[in-house]
Amino acid sequence: MNAVYNYLLIAFFAISILDFDYFSVSVIGMIIVIRYFYSLFYTKQPRSYLFFYFTGLAIVLVNWRYPTIQLPLTFITLAILECIRIIIMAVLRYPDTIQNFQALTEELERRVEQRTAELRETNLQLQQANLKLLELDQMKTAFVSQASHDLRTPLTAIKGSLDNLMMGVAGELNDKQKKIMLRATRSVDRLTQLINDILDLNRIESGRVTLEKSVISLHTIMEQSLLENQPAAEKKQIRLQASNDAGPIFLHADPSKIERVCGELISNAIKYTPPGGWIQVKLARSGPHAVLTVQDTGIGMTAEECGKIWERFYRTTESQKIAKGSGLGLSIAKELIELHEGSITVDSTPGMGTRFTVTLPLAQSLDTEHEPYDNSNCG
Amino acid sequence: MNHTTILIVDDEEELRENLQDLLEFKGYRVETFATGEEFLEEFDSISGDLVLLDIQLPGVDGLEVLRRIKARRPQMPVAMVSASSVRGILDQAEAYGADRIILKPYSHEDILRAVEEIVNRAGG
């Protein structure tokens, strides 16, 4: 289309020169020059300059030789011709444009549909995977719960039988027999503890733990825990020191869970502190929080180990050498603290000792009898 | 000699017999039942001072047995033994009038303490 137009222009240009029609020479020459520039700019293809120079020269010559020809008239005619050309081109291209446009729209729609379908498919797969995971998680919870309960019954029977023998139900035992019985009893107790820990963790993970909160005094619980752990500490000649700079500290918490946390941290410290060491339990306040620190002179851990101790069943290499344990106690403690909107951190130096720091929100009002604790404020 | 009679209802033979050995050793009279049905059938014809009742029983479960005991003899002390610590079940046992709940795994001390407390309360 363009090529035909160009040839026509050149033909008319030649005819006007041959006819000595200077007005036409100017107009057609201008069109050629403008188209030349246009094609230079928009198609960015190299063009021969020769024809361009020739056309420009023709216009200049005509206007110089015959100055009667009015340049404004030339431009106006030029503009009108160009407008007509644009309109004709647009009309000629209209069906094409529409078709192109429709094709483009269809293509776009098709792509959007395709992508949407892909997304829907991915989404479905994700949902199914999620459902499967949820199902697996529920299965795991149910399995652990069932298995633990099923383990408890025979365990209770074993323990009962051992206790009966120890008690002398079948006659008094001699020292050697007692020693053997004690060994069995200790193992049963360990197994029982492990099953209880797994069950507890399972219950926490499945969200089945309900906190029975009341206003409790942390210092009393701490003292109680220290008292309970005193015999174990004495056995290893470990000094248990307690300090409380903060006076009475009250929490709005589940007492049995907080007892568990305190007991776990102190017994843990005793377990991993060599004989002759000391353990310091400190209570303090920090803003709206109670801060409980348990520091020992135990075997300590590397920074890498510190990052892993909250994982279920994780035990450091050193800790496995020095004492027995399931590797669940700290996981449970952390979960219980977090259920109370508190936090626990650890810092430790291998061979030097370890310090656990527990932060728990303080009870907001001590005067609970007159002013019930407002649960909405605790978030 | 102590003439307190303790009735044990537990489907687990080993647990039942261990408890029987322990309590007989401590001088109590003991009668055992493997199912709730068996116990309820004979309940009217036997006398006892305390029932040790497992919650999870095949057939008529412990909660139902508890309900029927309390319906017939409200004064009869009942200690429930449970391997489950599911709140709902324990709450229900309390609602039905259980005098005591002992969680498995229990130690001999748990059993003896519970039995002595209930018997002393009934006697005193």
Side-chain angles (χ1 to χ4, degrees):
Chain A
M1 189 70 214
N2 252 332
V4 174
Y5 182 65
N6 283 341
Y7 291 134
L8 276 176
L9 271 178
I10 292 164
F12 278 127
F13 190 57
I15 292 167
S16 1
I17 291 172
L18 292 175
D19 265 7
F20 302 104
D21 180 350
Y22 306 119
F23 176 68
S24 298
V25 169
S26 296
V27 171
I28 300 172
M30 287 284 196
I31 293 176
I32 291 172
V33 171
I34 288 168
R35 282 184 63 77
Y36 187 85
F37 272 116
Y38 179 85
S39 70
L40 262 188
F41 274 111
Y42 290 94
T43 62
K44 298 211 161 69
Q45 281 163 5
R47 287 279 191 276
S48 157
Y49 284 88
L50 195 67
F51 185 64
F52 169 69
Y53 288 139
F54 169 71
T55 314
L57 192 68
I59 298 167
V60 171
L61 277 177
V62 164
N63 280 286
W64 172 64
R65 178 67 184 78
Y66 301 94
T68 48
I69 293 169
Q70 293 172 347
L71 268 181
L73 190 64
T74 311
F75 283 119
I76 290 168
T77 315
L78 192 68
I80 293 169
L81 281 174
E82 193 58 22
C83 286
I84 292 169
R85 190 186 69 82
I86 289 170
I87 291 167
I88 290 171
M89 292 296 282
V91 170
L92 284 178
R93 279 186 186 167
Y94 180 73
D96 246 22
T97 315
I98 289 294
Q99 213 173 1
N100 276 348
F101 187 71
Q102 278 174 345
L104 209 68
T105 314
E106 275 166 23
E107 172 68 13
L108 265 175
E109 271 172 8
R110 202 181 56 77
R111 281 203 196 169
V112 167
E113 241 164 60
Q114 189 186 338
R115 291 281 188 283
T116 313
E118 280 170 15
L119 266 177
R120 213 178 291 133
E121 178 68 18
T122 315
N123 223 350
L124 207 74
Q125 283 171 357
L126 268 177
Q127 268 176 6
Q128 280 168 349
N130 221 353
L131 224 68
K132 185 112 189 156
L133 273 178
L134 216 70
E135 211 174 281
L136 273 175
D137 196 57
Q138 281 168 353
M139 268 169 68
K140 188 210 77 179
T141 303
F143 169 76
V144 171
S145 174
Q146 184 62 40
S148 304
H149 280 137
D150 287 353
L151 286 170
R152 272 180 176 187
T153 302
L155 213 53
T156 308
I158 296 171
K159 174 107 169 103
S161 303
L162 293 173
D163 284 351
N164 275 350
L165 284 172
M166 281 292 272
M167 206 170 252
V169 168
E172 207 45 46
L173 299 186
N174 64 35
D175 285 352
K176 182 73 185 168
Q177 285 168 330
K178 270 187 189 158
K179 221 167 136 188
I180 294 171
M181 295 303 297
L182 264 176
R183 214 178 292 148
T185 307
R186 266 204 303 273
S187 294
V188 170
D189 286 346
R190 238 181 89 199
L191 197 53
T192 308
Q193 184 61 44
L194 175 65
I195 291 169
N196 284 345
D197 283 353
I198 293 175
L199 260 179
D200 282 345
L201 209 55
N202 198 44
R203 217 174 288 135
I204 294 170
E205 274 179 348
S206 60
R208 281 187 292 130
V209 164
T210 44
L211 296 179
E212 285 166 28
K213 285 186 174 181
S214 56
V215 174
I216 57 169
S217 67
L218 183 59
H219 51 280
T220 314
I221 288 179
M222 184 187 89
E223 281 158 18
Q224 189 63 35
S225 273
L226 285 168
L227 214 64
E228 279 167 15
N229 282 288
Q230 192 63 43
E234 271 169 19
K235 214 166 147 190
K236 283 182 81 178
Q237 291 156 340
I238 292 170
R239 230 163 1 112
L240 273 184
Q241 299 169 327
S243 73
N244 179 7
D245 304 331
I249 288 187
F250 293 96
L251 306 178
H252 185 244
D254 186 329
S256 67
K257 308 287 188 289
I258 300 298
E259 276 165 25
R260 177 88 193 261
V261 170
C262 286
E264 182 63 42
L265 291 178
I266 295 172
S267 65
N268 205 54
I270 294 173
K271 238 190 216 174
Y272 300 116
T273 299
W278 52 261
I279 293 162
Q280 185 158 44
V281 184
K282 212 186 272 181
L283 262 187
R285 275 170 208 265
S286 167
H289 291 100
V291 181
L292 167 74
T293 51
V294 179
Q295 182 159 16
D296 62 43
T297 57
I299 54 172
M301 292 172 279
T302 63
E304 193 196 339
E305 287 170 332
C306 281
K308 288 188 185 167
I309 53 168
W310 314 113
E311 289 172 18
R312 284 114 182 80
F313 299 106
Y314 178 78
R315 301 194 65 210
T316 68
T317 319
E318 283 304 307
S319 76
Q320 290 179 34
K321 290 180 196 161
I322 196 169
K324 295 187 176 94
S326 64
L328 289 174
L330 286 174
S331 306
I332 294 172
K334 186 173 199 281
E335 296 277 2
L336 291 178
I337 291 164
E338 284 171 359
L339 277 178
H340 284 89
E341 279 135 23
S343 64
I344 180 166
T345 56
V346 61
D347 48 301
S348 184
T349 315
M352 296 294 286
T354 304
R355 185 175 60 215
F356 285 98
T357 308
V358 179
T359 309
L360 286 163
L362 289 166
Q364 293 188 339
S365 166
L366 297 184
D367 205 1
T368 47
E369 278 173 20
H370 306 293
E371 200 182 314
Y373 186 85
D374 186 354
N375 227 0
S376 64
N377 284 346
C378 67
Chain B
M1 190 67 193
N2 190 336
H3 286 294
T4 307
T5 303
I6 297 172
L7 311 174
I8 299 174
V9 190
D10 198 325
D11 58 316
E12 298 286 340
E13 188 186 351
E14 287 80 7
L15 294 186
R16 205 166 60 225
E17 288 177 354
N18 270 334
L19 281 180
Q20 185 173 14
D21 284 350
L22 168 72
L23 293 170
E24 279 176 357
F25 178 69
K26 286 290 172 185
Y28 296 102
R29 279 189 53 230
V30 177
E31 283 191 52
T32 60
F33 307 87
T35 63
E37 284 93 334
E38 190 188 319
F39 174 74
L40 289 171
E41 230 166 71
E42 296 185 35
F43 182 57
D44 288 328
S45 60
I46 49 176
S47 63
D49 301 285
L50 165 67
V51 185
L52 276 180
L53 177 58
D54 190 19
I55 284 193
Q56 282 161 322
L57 290 172
V60 182
D61 75 353
L63 287 175
E64 179 59 21
V65 176
L66 170 67
R67 204 180 59 78
R68 294 198 203 168
I69 294 172
K70 290 290 180 182
R72 292 190 220 172
R73 287 193 230 167
Q75 298 307 317
M76 173 67 105
V78 181
M80 304 299 288
V81 180
S82 172
S84 160
S85 47
V86 175
R87 218 42 264 154
I89 294 176
L90 305 185
D91 284 347
Q92 208 170 353
E94 268 171 16
Y96 284 162
D99 296 78
R100 186 97 185 196
I101 291 167
I102 303 166
L103 288 178
K104 280 184 201 170
Y106 46 74
S107 66
H108 276 18
E109 288 75 38
D110 296 334
I111 294 289
L112 291 176
R113 208 182 310 128
V115 168
E116 276 157 24
E117 264 181 40
I118 292 176
V119 169
N120 287 342
R121 200 173 53 201

